[in-house]
Amino acid sequence: MLENEGNPTVNKVTGLPRKRFYRARAHSNPLSDSHFPVPISPSHVDYSLHYPQDFLLSNNSKKIQFADVGCGFGGLLISLSTLFPDTLMIGMELRDKVSEYVKERILGLRVANPGQYQNVSVVRTNSMKYIPNYFGKGQLSKMFFLFPDPHFKEKNHRRRVISPHLLDEYAYVVEVGGIIYTITDVEELGEWMKACLENHPMFEALTEDELGADPVVGLLSTATEEGQKVARNGGQTFQAVYRRIALSP
């Protein structure tokens, strides 16, 4: 008898989880208390749980370099995994059902494609609170914020995942030369994120030539479920891609 036979949450042909069994509310309150384990420091992140094959092969010499904040159902992570097969990356998702789906999706892909998708993982966490618990100074080379919750009401702007205060934390964990990618289909939020990045002293916008040469930029609007929905509906997207720079002396 097949391992997943009789399990309605798994597609018997692909071995991957069925998304409809992992649906959750589109939005969560990032300021509320949640109950999940959080490492007390980056040195306490258990890489062997996230990347068991890579951990055995590299003797834990590698560190996570890409972080997809609010990774949703993991579309970007899956695309990046094969585009950067030697880079460890992680998705950070607050919603428990959604993070469980991504976990099962990755496990299914590893079984169906031996040797692949070993460099990608997911963790259920609140990245607005716990980024410093997962990453050390200058550890990350890329951070992604794709179609974040717009929190339309002005009183809720403090819940936005891009803000002057949070950019201070992101600047700490992103290396000089590292890149922050943002995209949204909400024009007001797009202007907000761009303004926050533009006004921060440790970030500068990529040039049009640099954007065109970056293979990741094209994935921002195509790899995720949200981006695909916007495209189907003929919607417009607003992106801001900025490089971490060193402070002038």
Side-chain angles (χ1 to χ4, degrees), residues 6-60:
N7 183 353
T9 68
V10 176
N11 185 310
K12 288 187 289 185
V13 176
T14 64
L16 299 180
R18 298 177 187 269
K19 192 176 295 180
R20 68 175 182 267
F21 290 98
Y22 296 86
R23 291 289 179 184
R25 292 179 58 188
H27 309 299
S28 297
N29 180 1
L31 301 182
S32 66
D33 290 329
S34 301
H35 302 286
F36 41 72
V38 177
I40 61 175
S41 75
S43 64
H44 290 82
V45 176
D46 191 344
Y47 278 68
S48 66
L49 294 178
H50 291 286
Y51 316 99
Q53 178 172 300
D54 191 273
F55 183 89
L56 292 174
L57 294 176
S58 67
N59 196 27
N60 201 24

Side-chain angles (χ1 to χ4, degrees), residues 75-95:
L76 177 68
L77 288 169
I78 300 307
S79 297
L80 291 173
S81 178
T82 53
L83 189 60
F84 298 92
D86 297 322
T87 300
L88 297 188
M89 54 193 74
I90 197 162
M92 312 181 83
E93 175 59 52
L94 181 57
R95 296 167 293 174

Side-chain angles (χ1 to χ4, degrees), residues 30-149:
L31 301 182
S32 66
D33 290 329
S34 301
H35 302 286
F36 41 72
V38 177
I40 61 175
S41 75
S43 64
H44 290 82
V45 176
D46 191 344
Y47 278 68
S48 66
L49 294 178
H50 291 286
Y51 316 99
Q53 178 172 300
D54 191 273
F55 183 89
L56 292 174
L57 294 176
S58 67
N59 196 27
N60 201 24
S61 61
K62 296 166 67 174
K63 298 292 184 182
I64 296 169
Q65 289 184 264
F66 294 1
D68 185 4
V69 177
C71 68
F73 290 98
L76 177 68
L77 288 169
I78 300 307
S79 297
L80 291 173
S81 178
T82 53
L83 189 60
F84 298 92
D86 297 322
T87 300
L88 297 188
M89 54 193 74
I90 197 162
M92 312 181 83
E93 175 59 52
L94 181 57
R95 296 167 293 174
D96 57 346
K97 288 185 179 180
V98 178
S99 60
E100 185 64 22
Y101 171 86
V102 179
K103 177 182 177 182
E104 294 299 325
R105 183 180 184 183
I106 293 170
L107 292 175
L109 286 169
R110 287 176 177 176
V111 171
N113 304 272
Q116 295 186 358
Y117 303 102
Q118 302 293 333
N119 61 327
V120 61
S121 188
V122 66
V123 63
R124 184 190 176 208
T125 193
N126 186 335
S127 52
M128 287 182 66
K129 290 184 175 182
Y130 301 121
I131 282 289
N133 296 70
Y134 286 91
F135 311 117
K137 182 178 181 180
Q139 178 176 334
L140 299 177
S141 59
K142 297 184 187 297
M143 289 188 80
F144 301 90
F145 303 85
L146 276 54
F147 301 96
D149 191 330

